[in-house]
Amino acid sequence: MTVVSVEGEIDLATVPGLRARLAAAAREEGCECLVVDLAGVGFLDASGVGALVAARRAMNARGGRLVLARPRPVVSRVLGILGLDRVFEIVPAPAAR
């Protein structure tokens, strides 16, 4: 399992860095489960949602999975409004390594 902790706002200005971090983590040898820890995220826009969806697709394509951990209520609300709370695996905390 590989954990990527994200903090701050995920928006058009910051999403390129997030995409790069998620892609690099997914490429790590033996990465079968990529956990994105969202506890530090206070804002998530459509570009951020797109980055998470793309990372999930990439992990699924290689037989792995992407898990979202500890989203704040504001992030959970965005995911719920879009119906992505039924698409993503969402957990209250990353599992111990």
Side-chain angles (χ1 to χ4, degrees), residues 10-11 14-20 22-23 36 44-58 66 88:
I10 303 176
D11 58 21
T14 61
V15 81
L18 176 62
R19 284 183 184 270
L22 294 177
V36 183
L44 176 70
D45 76 0
S47 64
V49 170
L52 295 173
V53 169
R56 181 180 180 276
R57 284 187 185 143
L66 182 127
F88 283 102

Side-chain angles (χ1 to χ4, degrees), residues 37-92:
D37 187 345
L38 299 171
V41 175
F43 178 80
L44 176 70
D45 76 0
S47 64
V49 170
L52 295 173
V53 169
R56 181 180 180 276
R57 284 187 185 143
M59 287 300 293
N60 287 349
R62 56 184 298 226
R65 64 188 236 259
L66 182 127
V67 176
L68 303 181
R70 303 189 310 159
R72 288 183 175 177
V74 67
V75 173
S76 292
R77 181 172 174 182
V78 169
L79 296 172
I81 289 169
L82 297 172
L84 294 174
D85 57 339
R86 295 182 305 267
V87 173
F88 283 102
E89 181 179 351
I90 302 173
V91 298

